[in-house]
Amino acid sequence: MTINDTLPDDFGRSFIRGLRDILGGAAEPLGDLDRRAGDGDFGTNVRTAMKLADRNIEDSEPSSYREWVTAMYMAWLGVGGTSGPLFGMFFRDLAKAADGEDAPTLAQFADALGAGQATVQKYGEAKVGDKTMVDALDPAVTALRGAVDSGKDASSALAEAEQAAVEAARTTAETVARRGRASYVGDVAKGVIDPGAAAMALVIGAARAAADGGDVDTAWIG
């Protein structure tokens, strides 16, 4: 491991606390996207997950990366519908990036992100282009792994992954859904960003912000 492969010691705390604020603040526009292209419950699901995350954090008082991310994955598993279990299983894999008290290396985080993608695709049965969270997750994993292989520092590598995820999420507005609730409405969902893809892009953004201390832009969601 080199210094460029190191994530901050408090990465887990910064990542999950930041993500809680980002997703909580974006719940309304995410819900609006889902009302326009799905069954309209995603905003409520996000709010429920963030409230459960708050409760889990208060009850468990996490200190390690794995404990912080576990609080988030348990929160999503407490949410109904399709998004709750899928995001829950995704964060469960992400929690496995590190064990013990240390933060994961950037390479470990990239591998865990890839494992999360594989799990989401296995149980959600979605492919790239189906207008789901996978559309943002796949390019993020590819970009992050490429940056790791190139020896880029954590901030730069995660920034590349975030940019790839945001661009891909925005592109979902041009496609017709083939999986999920949005697939039931066909062309009606055209022109609307997939809320799951948008939320996944915010997850990657929160990871980048935890590495460099910056902010995450949510204005592009709507």
Side-chain angles (χ1 to χ4, degrees):
M1 183 183 72
T2 66
I3 187 67
N4 287 345
D5 197 28
T6 303
L7 289 168
D9 290 340
D10 66 345
F11 180 75
R13 177 183 181 279
S14 298
F15 175 36
I16 297 305
R17 282 205 177 278
L19 180 60
R20 185 259 169 265
D21 292 341
I22 292 163
L23 284 182
E28 183 173 345
L30 289 171
D32 182 61
L33 291 176
D34 199 38
R35 282 189 290 273
R36 293 161 60 194
D39 57 4
D41 66 349
F42 190 62
T44 299
N45 289 347
V46 169
R47 291 187 186 92
T48 300
M50 296 309 101
K51 288 179 182 178
L52 291 174
D54 287 342
R55 184 186 306 168
N56 291 343
I57 290 168
E58 182 177 353
D59 290 346
S60 65
E61 298 182 352
S63 60
S64 68
Y65 165 86
R66 187 161 191 165
E67 290 172 350
W68 277 103
V69 182
T70 294
M72 182 60 74
Y73 100 65
M74 292 297 292
W76 276 103
L77 288 180
V79 176
T82 302
S83 61
L86 288 178
F87 273 97
M89 288 186 288
F90 165 77
F91 281 108
R92 182 186 61 191
D93 283 337
L94 210 57
K96 297 175 183 177
D99 202 359
E101 295 300 316
D102 294 334
T105 66
L106 184 63
Q108 288 172 328
F109 187 77
D111 286 344
L113 202 66
Q117 178 188 342
T119 295
V120 168
Q121 291 194 255
K122 176 182 178 180
Y123 291 101
E125 300 181 344
K127 304 185 300 294
V128 174
D130 283 349
K131 197 163 184 168
T132 71
M133 69 175 79
V134 172
D135 284 1
L137 183 53
D138 180 79
V141 171
T142 299
L144 186 56
R145 284 177 166 163
V148 169
D149 290 342
S150 298
K152 295 190 176 179
D153 63 84
S155 296
S156 298
L158 287 166
E160 289 187 13
E162 178 187 14
Q163 181 179 2
V166 170
E167 290 177 355
R170 296 180 74 170
T171 300
T172 62
E174 303 168 8
T175 62
V176 175
R178 294 194 291 264
R179 302 294 302 179
R181 294 286 184 179
S183 65
Y184 301 162
V185 299
D187 287 340
V188 172
K190 200 144 187 203
V192 182
I193 293 172
D194 179 70
M200 186 57 72
L202 296 182
V203 171
I204 307 302
R208 187 269 308 154
D212 67 13
D215 297 323
V216 176
D217 176 28
T218 62
W220 59 272
I221 296 175

